Amino acid sequence: MQTIFRGKDLITLEDWSLEEIETLLEVSYELKRDFAMDRPTVYLPNKTVFLMFFEQSTRTRNSMEAGITQLGGHAHFLDTSKMQIAHGEVAKDTAIILSRMGHAIACRNCFWKQGNAYLRELAKWATVPVINMQDDLFHPLQAIADLMTIQEKKGRNTRNLKVSVIWAYATTHKKPISVPVSQVLLFPRFGIDVTLAYPEGYDLPDWVIEKARDNARKHGGSLRITHDQEEAYRDADVVFPKNWGSWVTNESTEVVDSLLEANRGWKCTVERMALTSQGSLYMHALPADRQNEVEDAVIDGPHSAIYDEAENRLHTAKAVMALTMGGR
Ligand code: CP
């Protein structure tokens, strides 16, 4: 078990070894048990984490804020439109100054071709850990909570579990690709057989597919791609039907276009869930576009694990902060 984390950035789980991720899961389980028993977990007394948000959030903001409080520290919520960033202050200056005043910088910046570069620039100059709360490419805090939830429901040994990451129709906003990217990269490292299903035009970057296949080769999982959603539901143990934007093929920020409208039929329905294996899970990072991405009968039905998945955002966020801001 890897035990040395203090000062480590979490930009993507690709930068963390399998042993480090296993420790992160162990600590998450321990913190969840402590939470259930109302046992104090004051691992970060008087420590400050800065939470910089370029976009909206419910789960990420609150898991980080509640999490640091439960660890004995404090969060500053920073709406970047109210920071001097809005007047052009550069990431270098922000990173150095916040490093002088606190103990970690967490940031969400999902702007296409900007977010990850911004996080990397913060990390280059910060002298405290930088935690990615979602960018245009990665959402490590979501992917680790997803994996924890799968393990809780399906067993710690996930080898040869069938997990499908499936595109779904939604109109709320042009969503980042960071959730499916993080899932298809992480799950094969735990021996999972991943099916990625999407209509043509909603491709993930080629380098993601190559890296996911490399991860699968090294760790015994697999990745198959299909453009047939029924194929992705058939015999799946876990399904993640979720919208993402066509950023790779079309950089426009327009939400609704002809490609999207041509794929209204990509929806998680009771009929499609009937194709999955006995006791299968329906999961979603949330927020869900109810009635477009998924029928209420599914998201509120017996397969749904969405609230446990969301709660695990708290326990995994606490583990990331406890290890990188404290630990050894
Ligand atoms: N899943 C997720 O990151 O939720 P929020 O956008 O509400 O933080």
Side-chain angles (χ1 to χ4, degrees):
M1 178 188 271
Q2 178 58 257
T3 58
I4 300 172
F5 289 86
R6 183 178 287 178
K8 192 170 176 62
D9 298 324
L10 177 56
I11 308 289
T12 163
L13 289 164
E14 285 296 292
D15 295 339
W16 285 36
S17 70
L18 202 57
E19 270 189 81
E20 288 170 335
I21 296 170
E22 280 167 351
T23 304
L24 175 58
L25 287 165
E26 288 294 338
V27 174
S28 303
Y29 285 117
E30 191 174 317
L31 286 166
K32 187 168 185 175
R33 273 194 298 274
D34 290 336
F35 189 70
M37 296 296 291
D38 202 19
R39 273 196 293 256
T41 52
V42 187
Y43 296 124
L44 300 174
N46 306 316
K47 298 266 170 90
T48 298
V49 58
F50 298 104
L51 308 180
M52 296 171 56
F53 280 94
F54 287 78
E55 285 98 5
Q56 300 85 341
S57 170
T58 296
R59 281 140 292 270
T60 307
R61 174 180 175 178
N62 289 293
S63 59
M64 293 290 284
E65 284 200 27
I68 190 74
T69 302
Q70 291 162 23
L71 294 169
H74 177 71
H76 288 196
F77 171 74
L78 300 171
D79 173 347
T80 56
S81 71
K82 302 289 187 290
M83 295 176 73
Q84 294 297 4
I85 292 166
H87 290 153
E89 185 158 63
V90 298
K92 173 184 174 179
D93 295 348
T94 305
I96 293 172
I97 290 155
L98 294 182
S99 295
R100 299 279 185 105
M101 296 180 180
H103 305 89
I105 302 169
C107 182
R108 168 173 285 192
N109 181 339
C110 298
F111 291 106
W112 182 245
K113 290 194 170 167
Q114 295 174 38
N116 186 254
Y118 188 85
L119 266 288
R120 295 274 181 205
E121 184 69 6
L122 282 179
K124 178 177 167 187
W125 296 103
T127 54
V128 295
V130 170
I131 300 169
N132 185 353
M133 297 194 294
Q134 189 176 19
D135 64 28
D136 54 329
L137 299 177
F138 304 111
H139 197 353
L141 296 175
Q142 183 64 51
I144 195 66
D146 291 341
L147 180 59
M148 181 181 182
T149 312
I150 291 172
Q151 286 188 339
E152 284 180 333
K153 307 282 183 194
K154 294 288 177 188
R156 294 290 284 270
N157 181 358
T158 50
R159 186 161 292 273
N160 299 130
L161 205 65
K162 292 185 177 62
V163 175
S164 294
V165 175
I166 307 169
W167 186 89
Y169 173 81
T171 56
T172 50
H173 62 293
K174 190 165 176 177
K175 301 181 190 194
I177 61 172
S178 48
V179 170
V181 165
S182 300
Q183 291 169 337
V184 303
L185 288 171
L186 178 64
F187 296 162
R189 297 174 76 187
F190 284 78
I192 291 173
D193 294 326
V194 176
T195 297
L196 174 65
Y198 57 90
E200 304 214 19
Y202 288 92
D203 309 67
L204 300 184
D206 289 342
W207 65 264
V208 171
I209 302 306
E210 282 161 29
K211 191 73 186 67
R213 292 214 158 109
D214 190 43
N215 288 347
R217 258 191 305 276
K218 286 181 181 144
H219 300 288
S222 65
L223 175 69
R224 88 177 154 146
I225 295 177
T226 177
H227 302 303
D228 174 349
Q229 59 178 323
E230 267 76 25
E231 191 181 325
Y233 282 94
R234 194 163 294 116
D235 299 326
D237 299 308
V238 183
V239 294
F240 286 92
K242 183 195 176 304
N243 178 258
W244 63 85
S246 57
W247 296 104
V248 171
T249 58
N250 176 5
E251 295 186 0
S252 161
T253 54
E254 197 182 352
V255 178
V256 178
D257 60 17
S258 56
L259 179 66
L260 182 74
E261 286 307 304
N263 291 293
R264 272 180 172 270
W266 283 69
K267 179 176 186 172
C268 183
T269 61
V270 171
E271 287 73 24
R272 290 191 176 119
M273 286 304 294
L275 299 172
T276 61
S277 73
Q278 180 83 17
S280 67
L281 301 179
Y282 164 86
M283 295 179 64
H284 194 297
L286 304 179
D289 189 347
R290 282 172 178 255
Q291 298 309 325
N292 280 327
E293 287 181 296
V294 57
E295 291 177 347
D296 282 346
V298 175
I299 195 168
D300 297 323
H303 296 276
S304 182
I306 57 166
Y307 299 123
D308 292 332
E309 181 184 5
E311 182 192 324
N312 283 338
R313 294 293 311 274
L314 173 71
H315 309 302
T316 48
K318 285 166 73 175
V320 169
M321 290 190 283
L323 287 166
T324 62
M325 296 170 67
R328 58 185 292 274

